[in-house]
Amino acid sequence: MKKLFLALSFSFLSISVLLAQPDSLTLKNPLLGGEKLYLHTDKSIYFAGEKIWFRGYLLNTSLSSQGELSAYIYVELLGDSLISRVKIRDSDEGFAGCVKLKDNLKAGSYILRGYTKWMQNAPNEYMFSREIKVITPESLRKGNLASTLAKPSLTPATTSVSKPTLDLQFFPESGRYFPGQSAKIAFKAIGTDGLSVEITGSLFKSDGTFISEISSKHKGMGAFTIISPEKAGYYVMAKTKDGQESRFDLPFPETDGASIAIGKIGEKLSISTKLFNLPADTYLLKLSDGENEYYSNAISKNSDIIYLGISSIPPGINSAKICSQSGNILAERLFYVHAKFAPEIIAQPFKEVFGTRDSVRVNIFIPSTKQYPQQGNFSVSVTDSLLVKENADRENILSYMSLSANVKGYIEDAGYYFRNITPESERYLDLVMLTQGWRYYYNEKPTFEKEFTQSISGSVSGLFRKEAKNTILMIFAPSIKFQQAYLLNNQSSFKVEGLDFPDSTSFLFGISGKNGGQLYGLKIKEEVLPYFIKPTKKTEEINFTPDKSLNQKQAVLQNVTEDNVEKRNLKEIYVRSDSKDRYTPKYNPSPFLQKFSRFQLKERADLEQFDQMSVIDYIAFNYPGLTISSDSEGNRILLSVRTTSMSGPSQPMLYVDHLQWQSTAQLDMYGLTVMDLENIAYLRGNEGAIYRSLNGVILITTRRGRGAQNQISSNVQKIYPIGYQTKIKFYSPKYSTYLEKMSPQKDYRNTLYWNPCVKTDSSGKGGFDFYTDDKVNTINVRIEGLLLDGTPLVKEFKIKVSADKPKQN
């Protein structure tokens, strides 16, 4: 298709409009690397009615990629279906926002999902998702929440009790193993909920000959070695802790292909390659850290081995591949390398124990290193530890950006592999590399573009679906001061780009012929949402910290019942309404369906005696302040003499059947008489403020258009596209004076402090301040964020709160 760009500039907005869709995607940046998004939330368990505070961190899947990042992210709350969805624009605080939980939301487990439009080109499993638990006062009073909290899983539900509740999957190192060649076989045991199951078992030959005992070592994962595999195959008898035993067959050895074996010898990695019965060709060993290849060399004869210093390998997930000269991948083995001198966050409160309603200052510091910058941008959450114990091994920004976002499938307690790095944790992380697949590669022609600005697309058609020609597209959005018309010529589709609008912004689109004809159809393109699989459920009990008193638990219940977390008592305000003097007509001429006074609006009964008059004459005769003049082409027009510009009096705005007409001269062009009108309204001066006009607004409903009041005509579409969430600030009380500290109002907040933007300067220094509440308890502090080069960092610690009484200064 032909592409036509029309650039338009206004004092309030500058946009470009693309008329017709392009035949192929043209990206703002030619690099087609993927994106990965992480959401830091203030906590993982909420009361119904609270807000989920979050900040999104967006990176390219490859840190060396120069592709420009998307400017918008989407965050959804999912249960059995989509519950809520917000759009967040990048700002000086990053992608910061919140999701409001409804007061009547049922107790249970939900999924918080985050993504960009660009990420919709990859399978949905590469979108960020996190389990969010919601409780209510009723569920909390039961003491045991196992019946109300369910853990989502994307595994299809099991409908027959006769089916096994265990699945054992086998993963030969680099994908295949061969007869007579020693082979390492990794395995992973999972239950019907998709989570790991610990097992023991025995390995047998196909004829029943026992070989060895096996057992899982960590999160259902383990590995064993077959010294000299036989063609006949093998099987495992696996047993769970509850005594269930099942047989699982291994894949058969293959006769032709390639294999890779990786081992660690001190500070070096050995990479052994072997070729089996392959046609004569040049085969290459290639090493890469995702999208960046840093080693490529031909394999000598049918086997080869190389040694690499670990310090010379890029940190993170690496891939070893054997490829043919034509690029076919014959074998692949993933391995992970930790950074030798990783940066860290040092956080130091100014004292060890704080009192209730006490001021807390936390200084943070990023020590200097040669490889990493000290400047960074972080978000901070401070939460009460009364309800749920913190899991130190849970997912965090470091584990997600370094590991989970780059492999297939769900990794349980991914934070474990980075919290305290030991030889044991490194062995278990290698099991993850053996059992998780490599990440998705984007197609050359993605379906979804990167979203740098907001846009709206649609199409037009003629009568009886015939091709529309020489049409005018009119767009009106008064809340963002946007009003424009575009000539589409013979184009049947359009895309308006460069828009900037918050959520709940209404747009009115209209299509007409050059001469005002309205026998056209208009269709706005609907947004494509990512699919969601309805989860199966696994009950999971919330464990209360055992050393907490009953009084504190009752205090939490009181807090929820009184809803004093975010609500405050307000004085009653009385507003006098003039609703008795204004009314909504049956056929409303306003595109905003507003109310009118009897003086502003004239109905059919008022108009009958003037049926033979032209509409222009009737308006000039009945509405003071409007007069008849002529335009440059000699056509009669209406002018508002009460408001003038430097060029003199201006025309009032004109809407006919909810569609804006460009000139009052069109009333004569179409030969409209009062007999054609169902009603007419005129808004003077400030009465037309909603239309962003001080020249007056004329609103007309024609008798042929009156049936479209409940269903807008096909040539007009009023839409509310999702816009970005406006900035919402987290509220936390201050107790800076003695009177504030002694206030009788109880403070039992669950989130004490949330700040989406805490920065460290070039020397690595930063900090934040907050106040404790009324609970004698320990509080959780969690700091997550990125250094300027995209390196993820996380820091968690606890602060103890005693029962010290505040003292008067």
Side-chain angles (χ1 to χ4, degrees):
M1 290 182 182
K2 182 180 178 181
K3 290 190 290 186
L4 173 64
F5 285 86
L6 178 61
L8 302 155
S9 297
F10 306 90
S11 60
F12 51 84
L13 183 64
S14 178
I15 74 165
S16 66
V17 179
L18 173 63
L19 303 181
Q21 300 291 349
D23 291 328
S24 61
L25 178 66
T26 301
L27 295 175
K28 186 171 182 177
N29 191 294
L31 300 180
L32 296 181
E35 293 178 333
K36 52 187 176 182
L37 171 68
Y38 174 80
L39 298 180
H40 176 197
T41 57
D42 60 319
K43 52 183 182 283
S44 60
I45 180 169
Y46 297 84
F47 285 107
E50 284 191 299
K51 291 185 177 73
I52 301 174
W53 297 94
F54 64 83
R55 175 177 174 174
Y57 293 90
L58 186 64
L59 291 175
N60 288 305
T61 52
S62 172
L63 290 179
S64 63
S65 172
Q66 298 301 311
E68 186 175 354
L69 293 169
S70 298
Y72 299 89
I73 69 170
Y74 297 84
V75 178
E76 300 170 340
L77 184 67
L78 303 163
D80 289 342
S81 60
L82 179 64
I83 297 173
S84 61
R85 183 171 185 255
V86 295
K87 182 177 185 177
I88 305 297
R89 180 177 62 174
D90 194 13
S91 68
D92 56 349
E93 293 186 346
F95 295 101
C98 67
V99 173
K100 177 69 167 64
L101 300 177
K102 295 181 179 179
D103 295 330
N104 61 351
L105 192 64
K106 294 181 179 179
S109 288
Y110 298 86
I111 295 295
L112 189 72
R113 181 169 71 177
Y115 58 93
T116 63
K117 280 192 178 298
W118 185 248
M119 292 170 67
Q120 287 185 252
N121 292 303
N124 285 11
E125 62 186 305
Y126 291 106
M127 295 178 180
F128 176 86
S129 63
R130 166 168 289 169
E131 180 189 9
I132 295 295
K133 296 179 180 178
V134 176
I135 58 178
T136 62
E138 293 73 22
S139 64
L140 190 58
R141 289 189 180 95
K142 294 178 182 178
N144 187 334
L145 301 181
S147 60
T148 55
L149 288 182
K151 189 173 187 62
S153 167
L154 298 186
T155 305
T158 301
T159 57
S160 174
V161 294
S162 63
K163 291 185 178 181
T165 58
L166 172 68
D167 182 25
L168 187 60
Q169 302 170 353
F170 299 100
F171 304 89
E173 187 173 17
S174 76
R176 301 173 181 175
Y177 70 113
F178 302 89
Q181 178 64 45
S182 178
K184 184 177 183 178
I185 311 292
F187 64 84
K188 185 174 184 179
I190 57 176
T192 55
D193 58 0
L195 301 180
S196 62
V197 177
E198 301 302 335
I199 64 153
T200 57
S202 301
L203 174 65
F204 297 91
K205 293 183 179 180
S206 60
D207 61 5
T209 304
F210 171 80
I211 297 178
S212 65
E213 300 288 345
I214 67 168
S215 63
S216 58
K217 301 300 181 183
H218 180 75
K219 299 296 180 182
M221 296 180 294
F224 54 85
T225 300
I226 303 177
I227 302 300
S228 182
E230 298 177 0
K231 294 182 179 180
Y234 301 85
Y235 68 90
V236 166
M237 294 300 298
K239 182 183 294 186
T240 62
K241 290 182 178 180
D242 60 5
Q244 177 194 339
E245 188 172 19
S246 302
R247 170 174 167 157
F248 299 92
D249 294 326
L250 272 68
F252 286 99
E254 300 190 30
T255 57
D256 53 88
S259 69
I260 304 171
I262 293 181
K264 184 178 180 182
I265 306 173
E267 292 301 312
K268 291 184 177 182
L269 282 185
S270 65
I271 304 178
S272 175
T273 56
K274 290 186 181 294
L275 307 178
F276 299 89
N277 303 317
L278 293 176
D281 195 357
T282 299
Y283 297 95
L284 304 172
L285 171 64
K286 296 186 176 185
L287 305 181
S288 63
D289 63 338
E291 300 168 4
N292 309 300
E293 186 177 294
Y294 58 85
Y295 177 92
S296 179
N297 204 8
I299 298 173
S300 301
K301 298 182 180 180
N302 288 328
S303 65
D304 205 351
I305 185 168
I306 64 170
Y307 297 91
L308 296 176
I310 295 177
S311 60
S312 67
I313 301 174
I317 296 178
N318 287 258
S319 168
K321 299 186 185 77
I322 295 177
C323 304
S324 67
Q325 209 165 20
S326 61
N328 292 327
I329 298 175
L330 305 178
E332 182 178 22
R333 167 70 153 91
L334 304 184
F335 59 98
Y336 194 95
V337 174
H338 285 287
K340 190 171 184 179
F341 301 104
E344 62 175 336
I345 300 174
I346 296 176
Q348 185 64 49
F350 69 88
K351 60 182 180 180
E352 292 184 359
V353 181
F354 294 84
T356 55
R357 302 194 178 189
D358 202 354
S359 174
V360 180
R361 170 67 185 179
V362 177
N363 293 315
I364 60 176
F365 176 61
I366 312 294
S368 176
T369 60
K370 293 182 180 180
Q371 188 176 356
Y372 301 96
Q374 291 178 274
Q375 281 183 275
N377 202 324
F378 305 91
S379 46
V380 177
S381 62
V382 180
T383 56
D384 168 46
S385 63
L386 174 62
L387 288 179
V388 182
K389 290 182 179 180
E390 287 290 331
N391 177 10
D393 295 333
R394 68 176 176 169
E395 188 85 84
N396 56 56
I397 191 171
L398 174 58
S399 63
Y400 187 81
M401 291 299 195
S402 304
L403 177 64
S404 302
N406 304 301
V407 296
K408 289 183 179 179
Y410 171 66
I411 300 176
E412 293 181 62
D413 293 338
Y416 162 80
Y417 306 104
F418 300 87
R419 179 170 56 87
N420 183 23
I421 300 172
T422 64
E424 181 181 64
S425 69
E426 287 186 311
R427 288 196 301 272
Y428 296 159
L429 179 54
D430 194 50
L431 290 176
V432 175
M433 296 294 97
L434 287 166
T435 57
Q436 304 285 151
W438 189 234
R439 79 163 292 109
Y440 178 82
Y441 293 95
Y442 283 73
N443 294 324
E444 292 184 1
K445 292 185 178 180
T447 303
F448 298 90
E449 300 179 41
K450 281 191 176 182
E451 191 174 17
F452 301 109
T453 64
Q454 292 167 287
S455 62
I456 302 175
S457 302
S459 60
V460 298
S461 61
L463 186 63
F464 305 119
R465 300 185 181 272
K466 292 182 179 179
E467 183 179 356
K469 295 182 179 181
N470 299 321
T471 53
I472 297 175
L473 175 69
M474 289 161 277
I475 310 173
F476 182 53
S479 63
I480 60 171
K481 302 179 180 179
F482 182 76
Q483 172 186 336
Q484 193 57 48
Y486 310 108
L487 179 63
L488 299 187
N489 289 325
N490 295 327
Q491 305 301 329
S492 60
S493 59
F494 62 87
K495 183 177 182 180
V496 184
E497 294 182 312
L499 296 172
D500 183 40
F501 56 91
D503 202 25
S504 301
T505 300
S506 66
F507 285 82
L508 186 66
F509 282 74
I511 190 72
S512 69
K514 280 187 175 180
N515 297 323
Q518 299 179 26
L519 298 179
Y520 298 96
L522 174 64
K523 184 177 181 180
I524 302 299
K525 184 178 179 181
E526 295 184 359
E527 187 175 8
V528 178
L529 300 182
Y531 67 84
F532 175 65
I533 302 174
K534 182 178 178 180
T536 60
K537 299 195 173 183
K538 174 187 175 182
T539 58
E540 183 176 274
E541 182 177 354
I542 288 185
N543 297 313
F544 289 91
T545 308
D547 59 346
K548 303 305 173 187
S549 67
L550 178 62
N551 289 336
Q552 288 191 350
K553 183 177 176 181
Q554 290 174 340
V556 175
L557 288 172
Q558 180 185 8
N559 173 47
V560 180
T561 304
E562 296 177 354
D563 198 19
N564 60 3
V565 177
E566 296 176 346
K567 296 181 181 178
R568 297 289 184 268
N569 292 326
L570 302 176
K571 294 181 180 179
E572 294 186 26
I573 299 176
Y574 295 92
V575 180
R576 186 177 66 183
S577 172
D578 61 350
S579 59
K580 292 183 179 179
D581 302 323
R582 305 177 74 85
Y583 75 104
T584 302
K586 180 179 180 181
Y587 304 113
N588 200 320
S590 168
F592 301 103
L593 306 181
Q594 66 195 86
K595 293 183 178 181
F596 297 90
S597 69
R598 297 288 179 182
F599 177 78
Q600 293 172 323
L601 183 74
K602 302 300 181 182
E603 299 273 20
R604 174 96 289 270
D606 305 315
L607 299 173
E608 287 181 350
Q609 58 182 315
F610 305 101
D611 276 352
Q612 304 307 314
M613 290 183 67
S614 70
V615 172
I616 281 188
D617 290 332
Y618 172 82
I619 293 173
F621 180 77
N622 284 276
Y623 294 108
L626 292 177
T627 185
I628 297 176
S629 183
S630 60
D631 60 16
S632 59
E633 297 179 0
N635 299 312
R636 292 202 310 166
I637 60 173
L638 292 166
L639 293 180
S640 174
V641 297
R642 293 187 175 183
T643 56
T644 60
S645 63
M646 295 182 64
S647 58
S650 301
Q651 291 191 62
M653 295 180 69
L654 173 63
Y655 283 84
V656 178
D657 294 335
H658 291 179
L659 183 65
Q660 185 183 3
W661 287 15
Q662 297 304 298
S663 172
T664 53
Q666 292 176 274
L667 295 172
D668 272 357
M669 291 179 184
Y670 286 102
L672 286 181
T673 65
V674 177
M675 184 183 297
D676 298 314
L677 307 188
E678 178 65 31
N679 57 35
I680 183 172
Y682 176 58
L683 307 178
R684 294 181 175 85
N686 291 332
E687 294 174 350
I690 191 174
Y691 300 86
R692 306 290 181 180
S693 171
L694 294 177
N695 297 323
V697 182
I698 299 171
L699 305 169
I700 292 174
T701 303
T702 64
R703 299 180 76 174
R704 70 173 182 174
R706 64 186 182 183
Q709 296 302 309
N710 294 326
Q711 182 177 357
I712 298 178
S713 57
S714 61
N715 68 312
V716 178
Q717 290 285 332
K718 188 175 184 180
I719 62 170
Y720 293 85
I722 183 170
Y724 62 82
Q725 186 180 74
T726 54
K727 187 175 181 180
I728 303 175
K729 188 174 179 61
F730 177 84
Y731 168 79
S732 58
K734 294 183 178 180
Y735 300 109
S736 56
T737 67
Y738 179 76
L739 291 178
E740 288 172 336
K741 291 183 178 180
M742 298 305 294
S743 170
Q745 184 174 4
K746 298 299 181 182
D747 183 0
Y748 295 124
R749 288 169 291 142
N750 298 314
T751 298
L752 282 70
Y753 178 75
W754 167 257
N755 189 336
C757 186
V758 175
K759 297 181 179 181
T760 54
D761 57 23
S762 58
S763 62
K765 295 180 180 180
F768 53 92
D769 303 89
F770 65 92
Y771 287 88
T772 61
D773 60 2
D774 290 338
K775 293 190 288 296
V776 178
N777 193 24
T778 57
I779 53 181
N780 308 310
V781 181
R782 188 177 182 94
I783 306 170
E784 296 188 88
L786 301 172
L787 297 180
L788 288 185
D789 65 350
T791 301
L793 294 180
V794 61
K795 178 70 175 181
E796 295 180 80
F797 59 95
K798 294 182 182 294
I799 294 177
K800 186 176 181 181
V801 179
S802 71
D804 292 343
K805 298 295 183 182
K807 297 179 181 180
Q808 186 170 8
N809 297 328

